[in-house]
């Protein structure tokens, strides 16, 4: 699949800020574009982590059960058989 070039304009606020960011990128042996893409990827990953943390908080006070209690209730053989039938 051929890649399509997409451009986005980012307003960095001032020429001084742009120059500082370009200098920082050069020091890291990166282009400014790569640095922005890395920052965006890290931000997106952070958003996923926040979603995961919220999901954990939602269920953190839910009652829990020991796995052996669950297996005793549903029957270990029933659990294994249901996996065999699914495949």
């Amino acid at each position: 699949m051929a890649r399509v070039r997409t451009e986005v304009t980012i307003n960095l606020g001032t020429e001084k800020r742009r120059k500082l960011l370009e200098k920082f990128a050069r020091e890291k042996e990166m282009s400014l574009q790569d640095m922005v893409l890395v920052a965006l990827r890290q931000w997106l990953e952070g958003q996923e982590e926040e979603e995961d943390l919220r999901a954990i908080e939602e269920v953190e006070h839910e009652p829990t059960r020991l796995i052996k209690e669950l297996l005793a209730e549903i029957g270990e053989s029933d659990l294994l058989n249901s996996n065999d039938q699914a495949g």
Side-chain angles (χ1 to χ4, degrees), residues 8 11 13 15 19 21-23 31-32 34 38 48 50-51 54 60 71-72 77-78 83 87:
V8 175
N11 183 342
E15 184 69 13
K19 287 180 180 181
L21 289 170
E22 286 177 340
K23 180 182 177 201
S31 66
L32 184 55
D34 287 342
V38 166
E48 290 176 1
E50 284 184 30
E51 286 178 25
R54 281 192 298 272
E60 124 181 286
L71 292 176
S77 60
D78 290 341
N83 285 339

Side-chain angles (χ1 to χ4, degrees), residues 37-55:
L37 290 173
V38 166
L40 180 58
R41 184 178 307 116
Q42 289 174 345
W43 182 83
L44 289 169
E45 289 170 355
Q47 296 304 302
E48 290 176 1
E49 289 173 10
E50 284 184 30
E51 286 178 25
D52 292 345
L53 291 173
R54 281 192 298 272

Side-chain angles (χ1 to χ4, degrees), residues 15-80:
E15 184 69 13
K16 181 179 178 182
R17 187 176 293 143
R18 181 190 61 80
K19 287 180 180 181
L20 287 171
L21 289 170
E22 286 177 340
K23 180 182 177 201
F24 182 76
R26 278 193 308 275
E27 289 172 0
K28 300 296 179 185
E29 299 180 355
M30 302 174 78
S31 66
L32 184 55
Q33 176 186 3
D34 287 342
M35 189 173 73
V36 168
L37 290 173
V38 166
L40 180 58
R41 184 178 307 116
Q42 289 174 345
W43 182 83
L44 289 169
E45 289 170 355
Q47 296 304 302
E48 290 176 1
E49 289 173 10
E50 284 184 30
E51 286 178 25
D52 292 345
L53 291 173
R54 281 192 298 272
I56 290 169
E57 286 175 359
E58 287 179 16
V59 297
E60 124 181 286
H61 299 294
E62 294 283 325
T64 59
R65 296 170 56 189
L66 296 174
I67 189 70
K68 63 183 176 182
E69 291 174 2
L70 177 64
L71 292 176
E73 181 180 317
I74 64 172
E76 189 172 347
S77 60
D78 290 341
L79 181 65
L80 296 175

